[in-house]
Amino acid sequence: ARSFIQEELIEWATRNPDVQVETVIKRNKHPVLIGEYVWGSSKVINVENEGIESVFNVAQRLRNSSGRKMTRLKEPVKSNVPSIQGVWAPHVPLQTLTFEMEHQIY
């Protein structure tokens, strides 16, 4: 985790300007990544004895998540309004279909 902070953190922070990065050194404490979200919630993930790639993946996961708790749906989602695009099927040969498009300016 310390090697990620020393080698990769500045580059990662410049590639993700929407993320605020703050480092705090605490003696005799395990390194952790804390994600604080707009909603007021936070996630704390211990990265003790993790390599650079693993810490990078944890930082990406914290950045990509919304911060809200995961909720399991008890029943399948059903809609009373059918889709205007039709039902999706995995066996539709999209490579053989042809599409015609018209461009209109209003």
Side-chain angles (χ1 to χ4, degrees), residues 8-60:
E8 302 287 330
L9 184 64
I10 293 174
E11 181 182 336
W12 186 83
T14 55
R15 282 187 277 134
N16 299 291
D18 52 333
V19 177
Q20 180 180 350
V21 176
E22 178 182 338
T23 59
V24 178
I25 297 174
K26 293 186 178 181
R27 292 178 173 241
N28 302 321
K29 298 286 183 183
H30 296 297
V32 295
L33 292 181
I34 302 172
E36 295 177 350
Y37 299 94
V38 176
W39 319 109
S41 64
S42 63
K43 289 184 183 179
V44 180
I45 300 177
N46 185 4
V47 289
E48 176 187 9
N49 299 327
E50 299 289 342
I52 291 176
E53 188 69 28
S54 177
V55 176
F56 175 78
N57 290 337
V58 169
Q60 289 291 98

Side-chain angles (χ1 to χ4, degrees), residues 64-81:
N64 293 338
S65 66
S66 67
R68 295 186 179 183
K69 293 202 179 238
M70 299 293 289
T71 57
R72 181 177 296 270
L73 299 176
K74 295 179 181 174
E75 297 178 6
V77 177
K78 297 178 184 174
S79 175
N80 294 331
V81 181

